[in-house]
Every structure is written in structure tokens, then in C-alpha cells.
Amino acid sequence: MVRKTSGRPNNPLKNRIKKILPSNRFARSVSILAGGTAAGQGIVILSSPLLTRLYSPEDFGLLAVYSSLLGIVGVVASLRYQLAIPLPESDEKAAHVVVLSLLVVLAVTLLTAIAVLFWGQSIAALANTPKLAGYMWLLPVGLLAMGTYQVFNYWAIRTKSFSAIARTKLTQSAGMVAVQLAGYALGPLALLVGRVFGQAAGTTTLGMLAVRNKWGAFRLVTIRGVMQAAVRYKRFPIYSTWGGMLNTAGAQLPPLLFAAFFSSSVAGIYLLTQRVLAMPMTLIGKSIADVFFSQAAQARRELTLDSLVGNIHYKLSQIVMPPALFLIIAGPQVFDFVFGENWVAAGHFAQWLAIYIYFQFVTSPLSQIVSVLEKQVQGSVFQFILFCAQISGLMAGVWYGLPMVSVALFSVASAICYFGFLVWILYITENTWATLWMSTVKAAGWSVLLLSPLALYYFPGKNEYTELVPMFLCACLVAARYLFLFRQA
């Protein structure tokens, strides 16, 4: 008699991966998201040295201006209604928010297309990039792709489908890089089309996941229910939209201002710097933010929000401090070696921007508290202060005619604002000052220890080859530390 087996066949590779992942639910979810994002960002970073040799700083300047415009408009793609998708208790109410968000995306895309049709050339001229005028039609296309993906991404966060999100992150990066490499003969057009393709990739996967698994909830969607959802979560478009727009504008305006007041080459150099430094935010920070958002509401009900916030802040500081300090010390050497001598200026930008990246990294994931506690007014006030500080720093550099001064003042002003916001977050979650300074001191101590091989820079007789030795040693020590933190989780 043959015994029948039931269930799915055993997959040794899948079982091995499950054993490697942390058993803690939060850390496991972050690991899955970060793993997919890491693979995607790895593709982007590994392709960057090749792209910088196929495209000029001017080409990257066009991409920088386009990406900035798309980023700023993309914040209002769904008027931030997508942030409310994880909040309703029932899937039926959440489905109404999804449909509402998609309708808003379509409306905003249509308005953007009309604006591009009538004022596309004027916008390109104002940004000092007249060559972009012929590519402005890609703005509403990219906006539609970005907005739709954001909506289904937050539905996936609601259903804790982190594996599906991780796969789309990989698909987005691979698709973007493939188009940019394969179409290099088309010039900057390939860079822009690759950016759009990267936004669109994965949208169908997450959309089908929502419809297939929760079709019963979407069948019950009514026009009246959509209107009720619009009223119930009106605080998101009224307050969060402005806060999100100010936050994104502060991050995306530097390339626009650099192109307008200096040159597209300076904008391209800044874009490469931002692309490399934003990796930890995209790789780990966004993953932690998404999982934190899905857990924070429950933690609030269970009165454990303070410990959750304190624990996440400690881990964030341990993760970002070593690479930030490394770039401050050896940024120009790293960019010279990886991207070529034409991009050394990006390394000098990185030295200053690393300060800003550190404080942004340890604060941004925790800023989801604004939505969880529905404190959008306070969040918008912070974003307004941050925006004013960033613009003031940038324009001061423009006044002196020095891009480096703009970058330095922009970074310092941003860091101060994020520090103040972090203190406020710890306060409203009933954490103490010790939570802040102990995490920072411990992270700084570990970073100094891990980066101690950089002292070899000051030994006599060094050359361009021996300079790689301390970098390699630091990379090994930091990787070992990350592995320990991962296993500890």
C-alpha cells in the first residue's frame, strides 16, 4: 500500500533560507524586505561604475532633473490616501481606500499630462535643461506607474505580503538597469525610460495579489463607500500631502537648483552621490519603515509602542553609523576608485551629505508614528521647518556661487532638523533621553573600532594600491558586525 503525501513538495533551498532568517517576527519581515531590496540595490550599485562610463555627467543631469520632478509630483499622486490603507480593521473598508487612491492617481496623472502639454518647454527652460523638453511626456507616464505601485504596495503591507514586495524591488532595479544599459546608444532617453520602467515593474504582481486574495472585499466596493473613505481619512490629503510634498521637495530640489544656477553636470554629480548614499535608506530604512508601520498600530493598542520605538532606534543607529563615518573619512578616495576620476567631486559631496543621511536614516522609519498616532499637523509643521532650512542652506551656496557650500549647509541644516524631530518622536512615545544618547554613543564606539584600519592612510610610503587595504579591512569588519546583528535578531 502506497501512502499518499499531501501538501507542497519539500524545497531544501527554501527550508535553508527559513533557518537563516531570524525567528523574531519583526526582524524576519525586515530581513525579507531588505533582502529583496538589497539584491535590487546591489544591481544598481554594481551597474553604476559602468553607467558612469557610458553616460556623461550632463546625461545624469537630465536624469536628475526628471527624477526630481517625478519625485515631487509623485508625492501627491494619490494625495497620500495610500497611507491609510493599512489602518482599517476590515478588508472591505481598506478596499474602498484602495479604489479611492487609484481614482485620485488617475486624476492627478491627467492634470500632470495637461500641464506638460501646455508648459513642458517652460518647465525645462526654467530648470536650465532645455534638452529635457523633448522628454517631458515621460513625466505623466512615470507618475501613473509610481502612484499605482504605491497603492498596491501599501495593500501588500497591510496583508504582510513582504515576500511579494521584496520580489518587486528586485524586479524594479533589474528592469531599470537593463533598459539603461541596453539602450545607451539612445543617450539620456534610455536613462529616463529605464527610470519609468523601474517604477512600473512589479505593479501588476502586487495588483494581482490584492485582487486574487481579497476579491471578496473588492466586490463590495461602492461609490458611497469610496466617498465615505475620502471623508474618514481626509487628514491625509489635508495635512500629510503637504508634509510629504515639503519633505520630498527638500530632497529633490537640490538637483533642480544645481541645474538652474550652476550646470547640469553639477546636478548629475549630485545625483550620483545621492544615488549611492540613498542605498542604506532604500535597502534597510524603507524596509524597517514598512514593517514598523504594520506593527506600530498593534503596539499602540498593547501599550508597547515605547519599547518598539526605542529598540528600532538602537538598531538603526548601529546600522548606519559605520558607513556614514566611513564616507566622511574616505569619500573622495572611494568615488575615485569606483566611478573614475571624473566623479571625485561626488566623493566630496558625499563627505558632507553623510551627516544628513545618518540623521535621516535613524529618524525617517520612526516618522511613521505621525500616521499611526494621527498627528499629521505636527508632522506637517516639521516638514515645513525642514524645507525652509534646506532651501536656505542651498540658496546660501548659490549666493556665494559655490556648489560645495550649498551641499554643506543643506546637509547640516537637514541634520539639525531631523535631530529635533527624533527628539519629538521619542517624547510622544514616552521614551527617555537615555534612549537617544546611549544608542548614539554605542554606535559611535563600534564605528570607531570597525573603521580603525583607516589609520593606515597616515602611514608613510602609501600609494593608490595600498590605500585599498584599509578599505578592504574596514569592509570585512563592518560586514562581520552586520552579520552579528542579523544573527542576534
Side-chain angles (χ1 to χ4, degrees):
M1 180 178 179
V2 179
R3 180 178 295 177
K4 294 182 179 180
T5 59
S6 60
R8 296 180 180 180
N10 187 38
N11 189 327
L13 179 60
K14 189 175 182 179
N15 293 335
R16 183 175 298 179
I17 294 175
K18 286 183 177 180
K19 291 181 179 179
I20 295 175
L21 292 174
S23 58
N24 176 272
R25 186 175 182 181
F26 188 98
R28 190 182 187 90
S29 299
V30 171
S31 299
I32 293 172
L33 266 182
T37 310
Q41 287 300 304
I43 294 173
V44 173
I45 296 301
L46 291 175
S47 67
S48 293
L50 183 56
L51 290 173
T52 54
R53 289 165 173 81
L54 293 176
Y55 298 96
S56 67
E58 289 79 7
D59 294 335
F60 270 87
L62 289 181
L63 176 62
V65 174
Y66 171 79
S67 298
S68 296
L69 293 173
L70 180 60
I72 293 172
V73 181
V75 175
V76 298
S78 62
L79 296 182
R80 308 287 276 183
Y81 272 120
Q82 84 275 7
L83 296 177
I85 292 173
L87 300 182
E89 293 185 4
S90 69
D91 290 334
E92 179 185 344
K93 291 183 179 179
H96 281 87
V97 182
V98 170
V99 174
L100 169 65
S101 302
L102 292 175
L103 291 175
V104 175
V105 169
L106 290 175
V108 173
T109 299
L110 179 60
L111 292 175
T112 304
I114 294 174
V116 167
L117 179 63
F118 288 100
W119 300 291
Q121 290 187 349
S122 300
I123 295 172
L126 187 63
N128 196 28
T129 51
K131 291 183 179 179
L132 186 63
Y135 307 129
M136 286 295 291
W137 59 273
L138 286 169
L139 187 59
V141 176
L143 179 63
L144 179 62
M146 175 187 287
T148 306
Y149 178 84
Q150 288 175 350
V151 172
F152 288 122
N153 179 69
Y154 273 90
W155 178 269
I157 290 173
R158 172 184 175 82
T159 59
K160 295 180 173 58
S161 304
F162 299 116
S163 297
I165 298 175
R167 288 194 295 270
T168 63
K169 298 297 184 184
L170 177 60
T171 303
Q172 287 180 330
S173 298
M176 179 182 71
V177 170
V179 172
Q180 291 176 340
L181 290 176
Y184 74 93
L186 299 176
L189 176 62
L191 287 175
L192 304 185
V193 173
R195 179 79 164 79
V196 174
F197 188 85
Q199 288 291 342
T203 302
T204 303
T205 300
L206 295 184
M208 291 301 296
L209 178 69
V211 174
R212 183 174 63 249
N213 294 347
K214 298 292 182 179
W215 176 240
F218 282 95
R219 287 182 59 186
L220 299 176
V221 172
T222 62
I223 296 177
R224 182 179 180 182
V226 171
M227 294 176 65
Q228 289 176 342
V231 175
R232 166 63 182 85
Y233 297 105
K234 63 182 180 181
R235 294 175 66 89
F236 286 89
I238 293 176
Y239 299 112
S240 292
T241 294
W242 296 108
M245 179 176 288
L246 289 171
N247 177 267
T248 303
Q252 300 293 345
L253 273 179
L256 291 175
L257 294 178
F258 288 150
F261 292 103
F262 297 113
S263 68
S264 59
S265 296
V266 175
I269 291 171
Y270 180 86
L271 175 67
L272 178 67
T273 312
Q274 188 184 46
R275 188 172 186 169
V276 174
L277 268 63
M279 184 179 68
M281 274 301 302
T282 307
L283 174 59
I284 302 294
K286 184 62 168 64
S287 302
I288 292 178
D290 289 344
V291 180
F292 175 75
F293 192 23
S294 70
Q295 300 289 337
Q298 181 179 352
R300 181 190 182 189
R301 291 191 293 268
E302 297 174 353
L303 303 179
T304 59
L305 191 58
D306 57 338
S307 59
L308 177 63
V309 170
N311 187 38
I312 298 305
H313 173 257
Y314 172 76
K315 289 181 170 59
L316 290 169
S317 60
Q318 289 286 333
I319 291 169
V320 74
M321 180 72 81
L325 189 58
F326 177 75
L327 286 170
I328 290 173
I329 298 172
Q333 293 90 333
V334 172
F335 276 76
D336 182 19
F337 173 74
V338 176
F339 303 108
E341 61 182 10
N342 291 332
W343 299 89
V344 174
H348 291 290
F349 281 9
Q351 287 180 304
W352 282 105
L353 290 174
I355 303 171
Y356 157 48
I357 291 297
Y358 172 81
F359 285 99
Q360 183 190 36
F361 184 88
V362 298
T363 305
S364 288
L366 299 178
S367 66
Q368 300 286 2
I369 284 292
V370 170
S371 296
V372 174
L373 300 181
E374 297 193 40
K375 292 185 177 293
Q376 288 88 351
V377 175
Q378 293 89 332
S380 296
V381 170
F382 161 72
Q383 297 297 345
F384 177 75
I385 296 173
L386 175 65
F387 177 77
C388 292
Q390 291 176 328
I391 295 302
S392 298
L394 287 170
M395 295 310 296
V398 170
W399 176 267
Y400 285 104
L402 298 172
M404 191 63 67
V405 174
S406 287
V407 172
L409 294 178
F410 169 83
S411 179
V412 173
S414 301
I416 293 173
C417 291
Y418 271 110
F419 175 76
F421 192 46
L422 175 61
V423 171
W424 178 74
I425 290 174
L426 295 176
Y427 171 76
I428 64 172
T429 55
E430 300 182 355
N431 276 282
T432 64
W433 267 101
T435 303
L436 175 61
W437 70 262
M438 286 185 65
S439 298
T440 306
V441 169
K442 289 180 180 179
W446 273 107
S447 298
V448 171
L449 180 63
L450 297 173
L451 302 180
S452 57
L454 292 179
L456 296 175
Y457 275 142
Y458 302 99
F459 275 48
K462 65 182 181 66
N463 55 50
E464 60 181 332
Y465 298 104
T466 56
E467 283 184 348
L468 300 179
V469 175
M471 291 186 189
F472 176 76
L473 292 176
C474 289
C476 292
L477 291 174
V478 172
R481 174 63 176 165
Y482 284 167
L483 180 61
F484 171 78
L485 292 174
F486 179 78
R487 299 293 295 178
Q488 189 181 47

